Amino acid sequence: MRSIVLSGDGGDLKECLSKLEEQLRPLADKAVPLLVADSHPVQVWAAVLTCQRLGIPLFLGNPHWGEREWGQALADMGSGWCWRQGRLEGDPAPLNPRLRELREVLPSSHWPLIGIPTGGSGGQIKWAMHSWLTLSASAKAHQQHFAVGPVHSYCLLPLYHVSGLMQAVRSWLSGGQWVVWDWKRQQQAKAWDPPLPGSFLSLVPTQLQRLLLSAHPGVLESLRQFRAILVGGGPTWPSLRQQARQLHLPLALTYGMTETASQVCTLLPEAFWQGSDSLGRPLPHATLQIRSEKGDPLPSHAVGYIHIQAESLALGYYPHLSATHRLREGQQQGFTPGDLGYLDRQGSLYWLGRADDLILTGGEKVMAAEVEGEIRASGWVEDVCVLGLPDAEWGQRVVAVVVPKTGIPKELEMHLKQHLSRQLSPFKHPKHWLWCTGIPRNPQGKVNRQQLRQWAAQTLGIPTQAS
């Protein structure tokens, strides 16, 4: 797949926009929603722009959904059309009651809605409902935070993920170029084309790790030329950060999520090079606070729940209308995603992990994300999830579920134990190691912890009801 370079005057995009507007105009009068699931980024971005222009509510979908996920998505929409791998299908019907109610309660500035798929650990799909207004707030804050004009984005992530979508939005609004690369091709390449001056690249930690394991000089040289390599979508681990610093890569560690239209905190590369392991300070459109379980503000360096207020905050979840009604005022009330962390005296954020991933074992606190990061850092596993399962003596026991990359599992367990012994305190080490061929994840890549915990408990002989 060749690189796709898009800008405001791109010919491929103009052709897509013209065809889509002709096809979708009949939907505009009734504001029938459109579900888009296409693997071609030009088609997806053209659909985003066309629906915004015509006032059509848009739901982004994963083109790799199975029939169960696809059926759930269509059922949740209630009525409407779908664009699936280059084909428009559906039956124009009146706006379904849920969306009609949303249109009545939301300010006109937030219409039409843009639904970005997300999901919890239970595997169910839901959409964080944004608008062009919330996405624009995030894009402009990025521009201000890095003090840049046109934002040139190099995209290795799909547009149904918020990180991929926001790269397109930033470039479009700022008049920059949006360059779409194929991840498999870039991962195998021994050299990359040099990026435009002042460009941005977005990666998840696993992608960064794989690039550094290969460490091709031509790739590393191109990586150093980016203004910033935005790394989010999961925690980085100490050895990964150390290697990136040694190679003088311009990492910008970020904190954000689908509900906030990507980053609300970002560490500037200059601070990363100086040794900061924080996720940086809030962007201009956001404020963060650390709160207790009761919701009381906590002082600097006190660990608590991260609370976010941002102009880019989603308007709510679809199809859960009751939550949407409460979140109509959410941009004033804020959002607590269930993450634990603390702010230092300079206001920089340190993320510790999900509160529901906290493992209490023998009176000690273990963050699953920290242990997972160090296991990944070994370079010997394809995937990993760390769980806390009930234990009569310790309260909970630390259990690692691992998809091995190479070697015999018994030998790999010994190597992993030796690796962790040099990196983590003994109480954080897994008491049990379980091997499998794949960890269950939802279409957005989040682990289905409920299913995995049940499997692990059964494998270890722990009663299912206790898990």
Side-chain angles (χ1 to χ4, degrees):
M1 178 181 174
R2 67 181 177 87
S3 298
I4 301 172
V5 182
L6 295 180
S7 58
D9 57 355
D12 289 347
L13 181 60
K14 278 188 175 181
E15 184 179 352
C16 284
L17 287 170
S18 177
K19 289 182 178 179
L20 266 177
E21 182 160 348
E22 182 180 349
Q23 289 179 288
L24 299 183
R25 184 165 290 283
L27 282 67
D29 296 336
K30 297 180 180 179
V32 177
L34 178 69
L35 175 61
V36 174
D38 199 299
S39 56
H40 200 291
V42 178
Q43 292 282 4
V44 178
W45 182 237
V48 172
L49 296 176
T50 303
C51 287
Q52 177 63 29
R53 175 180 173 83
L54 297 179
I56 299 170
L58 173 70
F59 290 78
L60 295 175
N62 184 339
H64 306 295
W65 274 343
E67 290 305 314
R68 183 187 65 81
E69 290 98 353
W70 190 254
Q72 181 201 328
L74 291 175
D76 286 343
M77 286 181 61
S79 65
W81 287 56
C82 61
W83 181 279
R84 191 178 187 184
Q85 297 294 51
R87 293 180 57 193
L88 185 63
E89 304 171 351
D91 183 19
L95 185 64
N96 69 50
R98 292 172 179 168
L99 286 173
R100 185 184 300 114
E101 190 175 2
L102 275 175
R103 190 171 190 177
E104 291 173 356
V105 300
L106 290 175
S108 59
S109 57
H110 285 300
W111 191 266
L113 292 170
I114 302 171
I116 306 175
T118 182
S121 59
Q124 287 295 107
I125 301 168
K126 59 183 177 182
W127 284 273
M129 300 309 296
H130 280 279
S131 67
W132 195 251
L133 198 62
T134 61
L135 301 185
S136 299
S138 175
K140 292 174 183 176
H142 170 94
Q143 198 175 6
Q144 294 170 354
H145 188 69
F146 283 96
V148 294
V151 177
H152 305 306
S153 300
Y154 286 72
C155 186
L156 290 166
L157 302 169
L159 266 71
Y160 56 83
H161 282 177
V162 68
S163 297
L165 177 64
M166 287 310 304
Q167 287 181 281
V169 174
R170 292 175 199 135
S171 296
W172 183 264
L173 289 177
S174 66
Q177 286 199 358
W178 176 49
V179 182
V180 182
W181 279 344
D182 179 71
W183 165 242
K184 290 183 179 179
R185 181 173 177 268
Q186 296 301 123
Q187 184 183 3
Q188 295 168 359
K190 295 185 178 180
W192 288 6
D193 294 334
L196 293 167
S199 298
F200 294 84
L201 176 69
S202 290
L203 299 173
V204 297
T206 303
Q207 288 177 317
L208 177 62
Q209 180 193 30
R210 291 179 180 177
L211 293 176
L212 298 191
L213 284 174
S214 302
H216 294 301
V219 174
L220 295 177
E221 181 57 33
S222 292
L223 289 174
R224 293 189 188 100
Q225 295 178 39
F226 283 97
R227 169 66 181 91
I229 302 172
L230 305 169
V231 181
T236 58
W237 43 94
S239 58
L240 184 65
R241 297 193 296 269
Q242 181 181 0
Q243 187 179 5
R245 282 196 187 95
Q246 290 172 346
L247 294 170
H248 203 67
L249 300 183
L251 255 60
L253 307 179
T254 71
Y255 176 75
M257 58 210 70
T258 307
E259 289 84 349
T260 60
S262 75
Q263 55 189 319
V264 288
C265 279
T266 300
L267 181 70
L268 294 174
E270 294 78 8
F272 174 75
W273 287 329
Q274 293 171 6
S276 175
D277 285 329
S278 78
L279 300 180
R281 302 182 66 177
L283 273 64
H285 72 309
T287 58
L288 266 68
Q289 191 177 63
I290 305 299
R291 295 185 174 184
S292 68
E293 289 189 30
K294 296 180 179 180
D296 298 322
L298 296 176
S300 300
H301 294 279
V303 174
Y305 289 86
I306 300 172
H307 182 77
I308 304 165
Q309 290 180 300
E311 296 171 20
S312 63
L313 195 60
L315 304 170
Y317 295 113
Y318 188 88
H320 309 295
L321 284 183
S322 60
T324 301
H325 286 171
R326 289 197 300 271
L327 283 174
R328 183 187 178 193
E329 302 162 354
Q331 289 178 309
Q332 290 77 40
Q333 297 174 351
F335 175 57
T336 304
D339 293 334
L340 293 175
Y342 66 90
L343 296 170
D344 65 16
R345 289 183 176 82
Q346 287 72 45
S348 295
L349 175 68
Y350 289 78
W351 181 84
L352 301 180
R354 295 282 303 168
D356 49 12
D357 294 344
L358 176 67
I359 302 169
L360 300 175
T361 178
E364 300 284 0
K365 296 180 179 179
V366 179
M367 296 307 303
E370 180 186 16
V371 185
E372 290 169 355
E374 285 304 335
I375 294 174
R376 290 183 190 278
S378 70
W380 298 324
V381 305
E382 286 288 348
D383 204 357
V384 60
C385 181
V386 171
L387 304 168
L389 295 183
D391 186 280
E393 181 179 2
W394 300 99
Q396 285 182 301
R397 67 183 79 171
V398 181
V399 177
V401 182
V402 176
V403 180
K405 182 180 288 185
T406 57
I408 302 172
K410 188 174 181 180
E411 294 177 0
L412 180 57
E413 180 175 337
M414 178 184 68
H415 291 313
L416 288 171
K417 286 181 176 178
Q418 291 175 348
H419 171 75
L420 291 185
S421 69
R422 297 188 296 268
Q423 304 295 332
L424 297 176
S425 303
F427 70 85
K428 297 179 181 179
H429 296 186
K431 298 290 191 299
H432 299 282
W433 297 81
L434 301 178
W435 315 97
C436 64
T437 57
I439 289 175
R441 294 178 179 272
N442 71 9
Q444 285 68 53
K446 294 183 180 180
V447 175
N448 188 332
R449 290 184 177 272
Q450 181 180 351
Q451 179 182 340
L452 190 62
R453 188 174 283 113
Q454 186 176 34
W455 173 82
Q458 290 175 347
T459 302
L460 294 172
I462 299 173
T464 304
Q465 62 266 26
S467 63

